Amino acid sequence: MPNDPFSPAVRLLGWAVHGTFLVLLAIALVRTLHDGEAGAAAGGFALGVLYAGGVVWAGRHRTPRPIPARLWLALLTAGWAGLALASPDFVWLAFPLFFLYLHLLPLPAALPGVVLLTAAAVAAVAWHGGGVTLAEVLGPSIGASVATLMALAYRALYRESEQRRRLIEDLVRTREKLLGAEADAARLTERERLAREIHDTLAQGMSSIILLLRAARRDLDTDRGAALGRLAEAEQAAAENLEEARNFVRALAPPALQRSSLPDALRRLTESAAARSAARIRFEVSGSPAELPVDYEVALLRIAQGALGNAARHSGAENVGVTLTYLDDMVVLDVYDDGRGFDPAAGGGRPPEDGAGTGYGLRTMRDRARALGGALTVESAPREGTAVVATLPLPEGEERR
């Protein structure tokens, strides 16, 4: 059995059985030749050839074939019986035959076979000795008992080993499934991260460029100077978007944060948004600015970009305010407008769609805040404006940048 974990031990046991058979057969042949029993010696030699032929055949056919093996065992048993009746020297060949019975036959058939073989050995000894002594009964009986106990012990160990092998295979399959699930989760997480980054950078930038180009086309016939100004702003927005894309590919921090602090980056963001919008946009800092980890600054900057983008596209506001507040244990970003507003309870808290939005922005902002242990709330009502509030707990001092 190729998958048998005890196959080395089984092979060793097999060679021990074969060796025992050949040694006992050799002793019997020497003694019969010494006693001048040429016929018994010839029969013993033929039995040895039959035994060796069966061993060679079994070695060439690794896949078990019950019928030829059992036919070979039956021929060996018949040959042994004839030799045991011819000479008592062959009786002790029953001992290796016990192992063959227990190995080649199923247990319900092997045990009766061993009992019959033991009885035949005792009867052969009695035939030649004219009676039965206790030693002549105990010899074959003890041999049969030892062989049976060894076979039963091996079968028990084999069953336990099979259970362990199946358990290990189940564990390996489970581990592979877990690894596959972790890989899928990692891919989904990375896909979600890429979607957030693209939405908050490239998509927002493209939306601003589209709005500027539409305004330039509208003013082209009536106010050429304003139209040229809009085109210049669109060109600047495209350049900034290109820089964002390059840094996104390189997995670097946003360009605005590479050049300055978070308050300065938010101030420039609001100034840029004000230049591209008809609304008045102002920015304020409250409290004492504190150093934040890069991921905090990136999250707050992206949330501000998303909220300003929503205000520009959906609110129709005249005034927009951005406030960055540093408290003792948290930092708060407020983006509020006096636009048309919406009902946060309707549509999962998304602003009303105007055909240009995807409803993805607020969910992205919430994900960014939650990833850092914070929260994002949206307060709005129809015709009463909208306020987006992101709250992030300040990290411990040693964890800050």
Side-chain angles (χ1 to χ4, degrees):
M1 291 179 291
N3 295 326
D4 185 356
F6 290 101
S7 56
V10 172
R11 285 196 296 270
L12 180 61
L13 179 62
W15 287 114
V17 172
H18 301 331
T20 301
F21 185 90
L22 293 178
V23 169
L24 293 176
L25 180 62
I27 293 173
L29 289 174
V30 170
R31 295 186 65 174
T32 53
L33 289 174
H34 182 268
D35 295 338
E37 299 177 1
F45 182 79
L47 184 67
V49 172
L50 175 64
Y51 189 93
V55 172
V56 173
W57 179 87
R60 292 180 178 178
H61 298 81
R62 298 297 182 185
T63 304
R65 296 185 180 183
I67 294 178
R70 292 170 187 176
L71 177 61
W72 174 68
L73 182 61
L75 293 175
L76 283 178
T77 303
W80 169 82
L83 290 173
L85 291 176
S87 173
D89 298 321
F90 291 100
V91 172
W92 302 109
L93 289 174
F95 184 73
L97 290 180
F98 293 150
F99 287 97
L100 293 179
Y101 270 65
L102 292 166
H103 178 65
L104 297 177
L105 298 177
L107 197 61
L111 292 178
V114 170
V115 172
L116 292 175
L117 198 63
T118 303
V122 173
V125 172
W127 169 267
H128 291 289
V132 180
T133 65
L134 180 60
E136 292 169 345
V137 173
L138 289 179
S141 300
I142 291 174
S145 300
V146 170
T148 302
L149 290 175
M150 291 179 64
L152 292 177
Y154 165 75
R155 288 173 184 262
L157 290 173
Y158 178 75
R159 284 195 298 270
E160 181 180 352
S161 175
E162 278 295 291
Q163 292 175 354
R164 291 181 179 179
R165 181 181 62 81
R166 287 192 292 269
L167 177 60
I168 291 173
E169 290 178 351
D170 291 341
L171 290 175
V172 170
R173 284 193 295 268
T174 302
R175 180 174 176 272
E176 292 175 350
K177 291 180 180 178
L178 288 175
L179 290 175
E182 290 177 359
D184 292 339
R187 283 193 293 270
L188 290 174
T189 301
E190 181 64 12
R191 185 179 299 173
E192 184 73 14
R193 186 189 71 83
L194 293 175
R196 287 198 302 266
E197 293 294 332
I198 292 173
H199 177 274
D200 291 342
T201 56
L202 304 182
Q204 295 285 1
M206 291 296 181
S207 178
S208 298
I209 293 171
I210 290 172
L211 291 176
L212 289 170
L213 291 177
R214 287 175 179 173
R217 183 173 60 183
R218 185 181 62 246
D219 297 337
L220 191 60
D221 295 331
T222 59
D223 190 346
R224 188 174 182 81
L228 292 176
R230 298 295 187 188
L231 290 176
E233 292 174 7
E235 183 180 1
Q236 178 63 27
E240 293 175 359
N241 215 38
L242 179 59
E243 187 176 3
E244 287 279 7
R246 288 171 175 170
N247 283 275
F248 177 68
V249 171
R250 300 189 189 104
L252 300 177
L257 291 177
Q258 291 178 356
R259 295 190 295 265
S260 59
S261 64
L262 175 62
D264 291 338
L266 288 173
R267 183 173 287 106
R268 283 196 301 272
L269 176 65
T270 55
E271 291 173 354
S272 177
R276 301 167 189 170
S277 172
R280 291 183 296 274
I281 303 177
R282 62 184 179 84
F283 170 71
E284 294 181 357
V285 177
S286 177
S288 300
E291 273 195 278
L292 299 175
V294 174
D295 52 351
Y296 275 59
E297 295 186 344
V298 171
L300 291 171
L301 181 63
R302 297 306 188 206
I303 290 172
Q305 284 178 322
L308 288 173
N310 283 340
R313 290 193 300 274
H314 303 296
S315 71
E318 295 181 358
N319 298 282
V320 180
V322 179
T323 303
L324 180 65
T325 304
Y326 291 92
L327 302 177
D328 292 337
D329 58 349
M330 67 180 63
V331 58
V332 181
L333 176 70
D334 295 271
V335 181
Y336 51 92
D337 65 70
D338 59 0
R340 63 176 63 97
F342 66 101
D343 183 5
R350 295 195 301 267
E353 301 297 343
D354 59 3
T358 64
Y360 187 76
L362 284 178
R363 182 163 68 89
T364 299
M365 288 184 250
R366 285 196 179 94
D367 290 343
R368 288 188 183 276
R370 288 172 182 169
L372 298 174
L376 185 132
T377 58
V378 179
E379 299 177 0
S380 183
R383 295 178 300 279
E384 294 185 12
T386 302
V388 177
V389 182
T391 304
L392 299 181
L394 287 175
E396 298 296 332
E398 61 271 14
E399 295 179 3
R400 298 184 187 179
R401 183 177 56 183

